[in-house]
C-alpha cells in the first residue's frame, strides 16, 4: 500500500481559500450544493497535487469534501454536506474498458462509453450514527456500499465491539441516493469481431439520474475491487466495478471521428471537383458496397442510401414540435438479393452504425425494456434497445418482419418522434432514438408474389406480415425481386466471381493484423476490381461526419415551390381519378385503407421529399438547398413510387405525358450522341433523364422500343448507336 498523502487537507485549504472564495460563498449562501472543478484548475494551482489526485483520488476527494465543509462552516454555513466534482481529466487518464486491470484500481481514470442500462434508485446510508449499550453515540461515515461498517470501539465507555452492542439509529443517519448503471465500450473502439466490454458503475448524490440508457458519455471514475464469492466464502479473485466521479455529456456529435484541417480541405476539394453534376452522387453510389453489383433497381437503392447516410436536418419549431431529419428506408426483397449484405455494409459505413437482426435482438429489443433484477440485486433496471443505442447514427435492422410484439407498438413513436417513453417497474424515462432506420424484410411465404397488374407495393408490404401503418413511417420502400434476366444475371454472376477472386484471404489479413482494428488509411480513393474509383470507407465516414456536423441546409423558395407544385399536382390528379380503379389503388382492402394514406401523396410524403432534398444539398456541402437538390430528391421519390406502382397516369408523376417523356428521351439521346461521336451509354442517358424527372424504367422502355424497331443498335453491351 502506498502512503496516503498526509498533507491533502492543508493543500485543499489553500487551494480553496486562494482561488475558490467566490464559489465557496455561493455554497455558503445556498446557491450551490457542490463545487465543480476542472482538472486544469487544480493543475495550474499545484501540479504535484494534481498528480496526487490521479493517483489517490478516493483519499484526495474525501479530504477535499471535508476541507470544503470546514471552510463553509467557518464562513457561517450550517448543516451542509458539500462535495467536489472534478471533470475534464487529462487525456493520459483515458482508458479503454477492456484494458482496465489491477494497475488502474483506485486511480482516477476516464473512458468514453455508452450507457446501456440504468437501475432504480436506492437510498444508502452516508453518515451513520450508532448507539452503544452505554447510550453513547458514535458517528461513522459509510464509504463502502457493499457492507455496513460498525464502530470497533465505543468512544464513550471504551469497550470493544463484541462486548457491547451497537444499534444503528436510523432516524439520525443521513442518506444519499444510489444508482447503478451499466456502461459499454463504444463500438468504434472495439477490435473487429470482439464483443464490447461492459462495466458496472455506481452513481451517487447529484449524479443519480444524470444519464439515460443509450447516451454516450465520458465517464470519469475510480475502478474499485469487490471480492468474488463462491457460496459464502470469499475467493482471492476480485471483480472490478467503478465509482463515478463526474459525467461529461457529449456536446458535439461524432467526437470519435477526428477530422483535421488537411482532411477538411480534402473533403471540400472533392466536393468542388465532383460537385457540379451528378458525378458526386455517382461516386457515392460506387462507394456504397462496391462488391454488390448495382442492378438498375439497386442503383436507385444505393442512391437513396447515399442520401440516407447524410440525412436531412432535424428541426424544432417555435411551438416545440420536432420534425425528424433522418431518412428511414425499407428494403423488401426475396432471399438472396443482397439485402443483408447492403445492411451490413451501411452499418459499417455510417458513423455510429449498428447492425442487428430482428429475430435475435436482446431482451431490450429494438426500443427499451424494464428488466427485473437488472443488476442481480433485486432492482428494476431500464435497458436500452438498438434504436436508443444508435442515437445520432444508423440502425440497420435485418429481418424487420420478425420484431417482437412489444416493439411493434413502441416502434411508431421511436421512428417518427424519435423518442421512446418507458413507464414500467417504477421507472419512467424518455430515451432518444434519433437515428436513421434501414430495415430489410422478407416475405412470410419465402418469396414475394409478382405484383398483380393493378396492385401497388402495399400488396408486397402485407406479405411481410408487418402492420400496414408501419409503412407510412418509411420515407422510401424498395421492392427487390429475384427475377431471372439473362443479360443482367450474367453481369451479376461475373461480378460476384470477380469479387471473390480478387479478395484477400481472411486468414492472411488476420495474420497481419492480429485482432487489432484495421489502422486508419490515409487514402481517399480506392479502385475496385471493376476498375472503378470509389471513396475509402474511412474517408467517406469522415466526409459524412463533417457534413452532418457543419452543414444544415434550408430550402430556398424555388426548391420549396417545386416540391409544393409536385405535391398539389399529385393530390389533384388523384382526386380526378377517384373513380378510376387505378387511381385509388393501394392493393389493400377498404377496411385497411383508413389506417394508411388515403391519397397518394400525404403531408408525410412532403416531409420525406424535404429531407431527401436537404440530404442532397448536404452531400454538396450547400447551406441552401436549391431547385437542383429538389429535382434529384423528386426523381428518387418518384422512382420508388413508380417501381412501387403507387401512381395514376404518367402525368401524375412528372407533369408530362408518356408521349412527351419519350420524345424528351430521344432529344437527350441525340445530345449525348452528338457529344460522343455517335455513341450513347445507357448509364449516361439514365442520368441525364433523371435530372429531367424521367424515370429509369421509362428510359429503358423507350430504348427497347427503339431497338426492336431498329432505330438504334447495340454494338457493345450498354452502348447504343443510331442505325
Ligand atoms: P438476402 O439478405 O437478401 O437474403 P444476402 O445479403 O444474404 O441476401 O445475399 C446473398 C448472397 O448473394 C450474398 O453473398 C451476396 O453477395 C450475393 N448477391 C446477391 N445479389 C448480388 C449482387 N447484385 N451483387 C453481388 N452479390 C450479390
Ligand atoms: Mg438476409
Amino acid at each position: 500500500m502506498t502512503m496516503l498523502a498526509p498533507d491533502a487537507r492543508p493543500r485543499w485549504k489553500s487551494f480553496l481559500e486562494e482561488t475558490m472564495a467566490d464559489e465557496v460563498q455561493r455554497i455558503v449562501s445556498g446557491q450551490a450544493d457542490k463545487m465543480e472543478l476542472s482538472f486544469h484548475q487544480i493543475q495550474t494551482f499545484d501540479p504535484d497535487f494534481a498528480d496526487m489526485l490521479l493517483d489517490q483520488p478516493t483519499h484526495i476527494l474525501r479530504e477535499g469534501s471535508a476541507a470544503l465543509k470546514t471552510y463553509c462552516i467557518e464562513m457561517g454555513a450550517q448543516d451542509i454536506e458539500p462535495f467536489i466534482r472534478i471533470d475534464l481529466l487529462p487525456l493520459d487518464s483515458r482508458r479503454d474498458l477492456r484494458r482496465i486491470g489491477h494497475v488502474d484500481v483506485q486511480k482516477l481514470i476516464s473512458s468514453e462509453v455508452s450507457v446501456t442500462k440504468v437501475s432504480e434508485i436506492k437510498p444508502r446510508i452516508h453518515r451513520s450514527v450508532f448507539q452503544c449499550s452505554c447510550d453513547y453515540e458514535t458517528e461513522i461515515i459509510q464509504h463502502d456500499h457493499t457492507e455496513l461498517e460498525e464502530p470497533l470501539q465505543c468512544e464513550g465507555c471504551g469497550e470493544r465491539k463484541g462486548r457491547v452492542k451497537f444499534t444503528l439509529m436510523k432516524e439520525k443517519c443521513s442518506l444519499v441516493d444510489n444508482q447503478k448503471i451499466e456502461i459499454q465500450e463504444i463500438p468504434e473502439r472495439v477490435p473487429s469481431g470482439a464483443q464490447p466490454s461492459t462495466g458496472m458503475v455506481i452513481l451517487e448524490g447529484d449524479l443519480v439520474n444524470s444519464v439515460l440508457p443509450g447516451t454516450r458519455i465520458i465517464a470519469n471514475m475510480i475502478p474499485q475491487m469487490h471480492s468474488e464469492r463462491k457460496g459464502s466464502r470469499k475467493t482471492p479473485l476480485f471483480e472490478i466495478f467503478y465509482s463515478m466521479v463526474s459525467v461529461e455529456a457529449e456536446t458535439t456529435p461524432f467526437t470519435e471521428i477526428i477530422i483535421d484541417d488537411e482532411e477538411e480541405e480534402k473533403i471540400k476539394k472533392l466536393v468542388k471537383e465532383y460537385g457540379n453534376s451528378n458525378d458526386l452522387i455517382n461516386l457515392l453510389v460506387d462507394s456504397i458496397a462496391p462488391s454488390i453489383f448495382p442492378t438498375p433497381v439497386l442503383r436507385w437503392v444505393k442512391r437513396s442510401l447515399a442520401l440516407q447516410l447524410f440525412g436531412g436536418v432535424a428541426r424544432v419549431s417555435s411551438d416545440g414540435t420536432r420534425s425528424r431529419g433522418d431518412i428511414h428506408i425499407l428494403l423488401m426483397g426475396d432471399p438472396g438479393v443482397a439485402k443483408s449484405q447492403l445492411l451490413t455494409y451501411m452499418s459499417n459505413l455510417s458513423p455510429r452504425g449498428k447492425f442487428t437482426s430482428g429475430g435475435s435482438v436482446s431482451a431490450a429489443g429494438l426500443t427499451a425494456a424494464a428488466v427485473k433484477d437488472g443488476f442481480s440485486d433485486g432492482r428494476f433496471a431500464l435497458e436500452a434497445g438498438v434504436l436508443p443505442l444508435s442515437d445520432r447514427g444508423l440502425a440497420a435492422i435485418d429481418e424487420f418482419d420478425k420484431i417482437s410484439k412489444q416493439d411493434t407498438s413502441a416502434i411508431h413513436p421511436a421512428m417518427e418522434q424519435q423518442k421512446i417513453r418507458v413507464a414500467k417497474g417504477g421507472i419512467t424515462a424518455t430515451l432518444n432514438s434519433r437515428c436513421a432506420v434501414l430495415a430489410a424484410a422478407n416475405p412470410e411465404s419465402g418469396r414475394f408474389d409478382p405484383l398483380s397488374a393493378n396492385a401497388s407495393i402495399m400488396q408486397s408490404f402485407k406479405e411481410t406480415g408487418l402492420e400496414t401503418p408501419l409503412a407510412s413511417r418509411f420515407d422510401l420502400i424498395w421492392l427487390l425481386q429475384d427475377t431471372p434476366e439473362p443479360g443482367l444475371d450474367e453481369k451479376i454472376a461475373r461480378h460476384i466471381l470477380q469479387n471473390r477472386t480478387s479478395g484477400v484471404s481472411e486468414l492472411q489479413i488476420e495474420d497481419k493484423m492480429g485482432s487489432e482494428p484495421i489502422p486508419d488509411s490515409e487514402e481517399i480513393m480506392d479502385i475496385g476490381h471493376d476498375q472503378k474509383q470509389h471513396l475509402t470507407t474511412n474517408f467517406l465516414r469522415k466526409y459524412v461526419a463533417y457534413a452532418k456536423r457543419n452543414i444544415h441546409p434550408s430550402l430556398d423558395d424555388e426548391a420549396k415551390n417545386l416540391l409544393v407544385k409536385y405535391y398539389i399536382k399529385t393530390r389533384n390528379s388523384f382526386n380526378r381519378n377517384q373513380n378510376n380503379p387505378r387511381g385509388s389503388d393501394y392493393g389493400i382492402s377498404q377496411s385497411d385503407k383508413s389506417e394508411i394514406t388515403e391519397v397518394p401523396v400525404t403531408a408525410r410524403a412532403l416531409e420525406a421529399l424535404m429531407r431527401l432534398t436537404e440530404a442532397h444539398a448536404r452531400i454538396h456541402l450547400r447551406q441552401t438547398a436549391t431547385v437542383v437538390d429538389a429535382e434529384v430528391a423528386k426523381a428518387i421519390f418518384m422512382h420508388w413510387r413508380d417501381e412501387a406502382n403507387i401512381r395514376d397516369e404518367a402525368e401524375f408523376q412528372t407533369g408530362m405525358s408518356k408521349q412527351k417523356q419519350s420524345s424528351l428521351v430521344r432529344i437527350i439521346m441525340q445530345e449525348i450522341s452528338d457529344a460522343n461521336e455517335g455513341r450513347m451509354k445507357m448509364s449516361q442517358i439514365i442520368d441525364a433523364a433523371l435530372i429531367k424527372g424521367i424515370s429509369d424504367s421509362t428510359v429503358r422502355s423507350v430504348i427497347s422500343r427503339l431497338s426492336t424497331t431498329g432505330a438504334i443498335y447495340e454494338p457493345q453491351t450498354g452502348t447504343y448507336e443510331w442505325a
Side-chain angles (χ1 to χ4, degrees):
M1 271 306 246
T2 45
M3 262 275 289
L4 292 180
D7 55 350
R9 195 145 338 170
R11 287 198 195 219
W12 272 114
K13 189 169 176 336
S14 47
F15 171 75
L16 293 172
E17 285 174 359
E18 284 170 43
T19 64
M20 289 291 138
D22 289 348
E23 279 73 9
V24 170
Q25 197 51 54
R26 284 168 52 80
I27 296 177
V28 171
S29 64
Q31 287 169 291
D33 57 358
K34 62 184 165 194
M35 179 170 283
E36 286 170 299
L37 299 174
S38 73
F39 183 80
H40 185 70
Q41 282 173 290
I42 298 179
Q43 203 174 29
T44 358
F45 181 76
D46 186 346
D48 268 356
F49 191 43
D51 287 344
M52 279 159 58
L53 174 65
L54 293 180
D55 196 45
Q56 306 179 353
T58 313
H59 172 64
I60 305 274
L61 287 173
R62 233 173 245 171
E63 293 294 301
S65 299
L68 179 59
K69 184 173 175 179
T70 313
Y71 188 15
C72 289
I73 289 173
E74 276 171 27
M75 303 286 287
Q78 286 169 355
D79 210 24
I80 55 167
E81 289 288 340
F83 44 89
I84 292 178
R85 300 254 169 244
I86 294 189
D87 61 9
L88 301 177
L89 300 186
L91 276 181
D92 57 8
S93 73
R94 268 307 151 82
R95 299 282 184 281
D96 287 336
L97 279 190
R98 65 180 52 248
R99 302 199 191 284
I100 291 175
H102 73 277
V103 291
D104 299 306
V105 169
Q106 287 297 346
K107 306 285 185 234
L108 184 55
I109 59 137
S110 62
S111 191
E112 200 178 349
V113 295
S114 64
V115 179
T116 49
K117 224 195 264 181
V118 172
S119 82
E120 282 180 288
I121 299 170
K122 269 191 183 175
R124 179 180 80 80
I125 293 179
H126 168 61
R127 188 163 35 112
S128 57
V129 178
F130 288 92
Q131 193 179 44
C132 174
S133 331
C134 76
D135 279 359
Y136 188 86
E137 289 180 357
T138 306
E139 187 182 294
I140 290 188
I141 300 286
Q142 299 286 339
H143 295 297
D144 192 359
H145 74 107
T146 50
E147 235 169 319
L148 186 70
E149 198 183 325
E150 288 193 4
L152 294 172
Q153 190 174 20
C154 174
E155 290 165 15
C157 60
E159 284 292 353
R160 295 184 159 273
K161 180 178 161 183
R163 298 180 60 105
V164 285
K165 198 167 164 286
F166 291 110
T167 317
L168 181 66
M169 308 296 287
K170 286 209 189 78
E171 65 287 351
K172 290 192 178 161
C173 294
S174 67
L175 298 170
V176 59
D177 285 335
N178 168 290
Q179 185 175 45
K180 291 181 179 177
I181 67 170
E182 186 182 81
I183 54 174
Q184 191 176 62
E185 283 179 291
I186 58 170
E188 291 79 13
R189 302 250 187 284
V190 180
S192 54
Q195 282 290 322
S197 300
T198 59
M200 197 270 281
V201 192
I202 303 222
L203 270 58
E204 290 202 326
D206 60 319
L207 291 178
V208 159
N209 281 345
S210 63
V211 295
L212 283 173
T215 47
R216 289 189 178 216
I217 56 170
I218 291 167
N220 302 315
M221 50 194 191
I222 306 171
Q224 314 263 13
M225 298 201 303
H226 175 62
S227 93
E228 278 184 14
R229 280 170 184 273
K230 211 171 186 179
S232 60
R233 290 177 51 198
K234 288 186 178 176
T235 72
L237 288 180
F238 291 91
E239 260 169 41
I240 290 184
F241 69 92
Y242 305 87
S243 308
M244 192 72 91
V245 169
S246 64
V247 174
E248 291 163 42
E250 169 182 71
T251 44
T252 43
F254 312 127
T255 36
E256 71 277 14
I257 297 175
I258 297 158
I259 302 164
D260 60 30
D261 292 349
E262 201 180 318
E263 285 160 339
E264 186 177 331
E265 279 314 305
K266 282 183 189 166
I267 293 170
K268 288 183 178 157
K269 193 163 153 244
L270 176 90
V271 172
K272 213 178 201 156
E273 242 169 69
Y274 280 80
N276 289 328
S277 60
N278 247 343
D279 295 352
L280 192 54
I281 292 281
N282 283 337
L283 178 67
L284 289 172
V285 165
D286 291 338
S287 310
I288 292 173
S291 65
I292 295 171
F293 179 83
T295 60
V297 185
L298 277 178
R299 217 177 154 77
W300 282 98
V301 172
K302 286 187 178 187
R303 275 193 192 107
S304 67
L305 294 182
L307 295 184
Q308 185 186 37
L309 266 184
F310 287 80
V313 182
R315 293 181 198 282
V316 182
S317 61
S318 50
D319 65 357
T321 48
R322 176 179 183 276
S323 62
R324 73 176 149 98
D326 296 301
I327 296 166
H328 300 322
I329 298 178
L330 173 65
L331 309 178
M332 302 193 295
D334 291 332
V337 293
K339 298 185 299 298
S340 300
Q341 290 270 3
L342 264 179
L343 261 58
T344 315
Y345 204 93
M346 283 290 285
S347 65
N348 289 330
L349 198 55
S350 169
R352 307 216 169 156
K354 254 199 162 46
F355 178 89
T356 182
S357 179
S360 65
V361 292
S362 70
L366 296 177
T367 53
V371 284
K372 179 82 185 133
D373 207 21
F375 290 93
S376 46
D377 62 354
R379 302 191 211 189
F380 261 107
L382 179 60
E383 191 172 345
V386 176
L387 295 179
L389 287 175
S390 319
D391 190 34
R392 292 199 151 124
L394 178 136
I397 309 167
D398 207 357
E399 320 267 329
F400 191 64
D401 43 303
K402 299 195 180 55
I403 60 173
S404 71
K405 270 253 133 44
Q406 156 212 334
D407 278 339
T408 330
S409 54
I411 195 116
H412 293 245
M415 286 176 73
E416 197 58 55
Q417 283 76 41
Q418 303 194 302
K419 281 191 189 314
I420 298 167
R421 290 200 173 75
V422 194
K424 258 184 241 162
I427 297 182
T428 51
T430 306
L431 311 184
N432 284 320
S433 57
R434 298 161 296 185
C435 59
V437 172
L438 173 60
N442 297 302
E444 281 177 311
S445 63
R447 241 165 200 289
F448 285 105
D449 291 335
L451 279 184
S452 42
N454 284 330
S456 77
I457 201 159
M458 287 310 296
Q459 176 202 324
S460 310
F461 190 85
K462 289 189 84 183
E463 286 174 48
T464 63
L466 286 165
E467 291 179 12
T468 31
L470 208 46
S472 66
R473 296 298 186 277
F474 289 97
D475 297 78
L476 301 167
I477 301 178
W478 300 106
L479 179 61
L480 306 168
Q481 279 187 301
D482 189 15
T483 37
E485 264 180 66
L488 206 53
D489 287 350
E490 186 183 333
K491 281 192 202 154
I492 298 176
R494 291 205 179 282
H495 191 94
I496 293 177
L497 292 183
Q498 184 60 252
N499 209 20
R500 267 198 75 79
T501 35
S502 62
V504 182
S505 154
E506 186 173 66
L507 209 56
Q508 284 171 326
I509 296 182
E510 279 178 10
D511 263 359
K512 251 190 265 160
M513 313 271 189
S515 62
E516 291 300 307
I518 296 168
D520 280 3
S521 123
E522 292 284 297
E523 298 295 319
I524 298 181
M525 293 283 192
D526 209 352
I527 296 192
H529 60 76
D530 52 1
Q531 303 309 318
K532 269 196 189 161
Q533 279 210 325
H534 60 80
L535 297 171
T536 60
T537 308
N538 188 43
F539 183 75
L540 182 51
R541 196 184 290 135
K542 290 194 181 205
Y543 174 17
V544 172
Y546 174 81
K548 282 191 140 182
R549 235 185 261 165
N550 299 300
I551 311 290
H552 310 282
S554 343
L555 273 67
D556 69 8
D557 286 341
E558 217 183 332
K560 275 187 221 157
N561 285 340
L562 186 133
L563 296 185
V564 168
K565 246 195 221 149
Y566 170 67
Y567 176 66
I568 304 277
K569 181 169 273 162
T570 45
R571 281 178 78 93
N572 284 344
S573 78
F574 177 79
N575 290 338
R576 270 208 309 282
N577 290 309
Q578 271 287 349
N579 300 325
N580 170 348
R582 259 195 92 78
S584 59
D585 167 49
Y586 269 88
I588 49 171
S589 68
Q590 203 62 38
S591 60
D592 283 338
K593 218 181 250 175
S594 56
E595 295 176 54
I596 64 151
T597 49
E598 281 271 10
V599 283
V601 171
T602 67
R604 276 224 170 83
L606 193 57
E607 284 184 12
L609 279 162
M610 286 187 65
R611 283 189 278 272
L612 295 169
T613 306
E614 288 165 356
H616 190 264
R618 209 175 229 178
I619 288 177
H620 292 82
L621 305 183
R622 283 197 277 267
Q623 297 285 13
T624 306
T626 64
V627 66
V628 179
D629 303 308
E631 286 282 8
V632 178
K634 188 176 119 189
I636 290 176
F637 190 78
M638 275 180 357
H639 186 82
W640 90 263
R641 292 175 71 83
D642 183 6
E643 286 279 312
N645 222 354
I646 302 181
R647 59 176 159 169
D648 295 300
E649 304 306 323
E651 208 170 288
F652 157 67
Q653 315 165 40
T654 53
M656 271 185 270
S657 67
K658 277 267 186 243
Q659 216 177 355
K660 198 162 161 213
Q661 288 189 44
S662 25
S663 64
L664 201 55
V665 172
R666 281 159 165 271
I667 295 172
I668 290 168
M669 289 171 68
Q670 195 59 55
E671 282 170 6
I672 293 172
S673 79
D674 288 345
N676 296 292
E677 295 160 339
R679 290 172 165 263
M680 302 166 278
K681 277 207 180 122
M682 174 78 108
S683 56
Q684 276 176 309
I685 306 171
I686 289 174
D687 286 345
L690 167 67
I691 298 279
K692 307 266 182 213
I694 297 170
S695 77
D696 190 329
S697 59
T698 308
V699 173
R700 279 170 204 281
S701 74
V702 171
I703 287 176
S704 92
R705 213 170 339 109
L706 291 172
S707 308
T708 39
T709 58
I712 54 172
Y713 70 105
E714 192 176 3
Q716 211 181 323
T717 322
T719 304
Y720 297 86
E721 287 182 27
W722 297 106

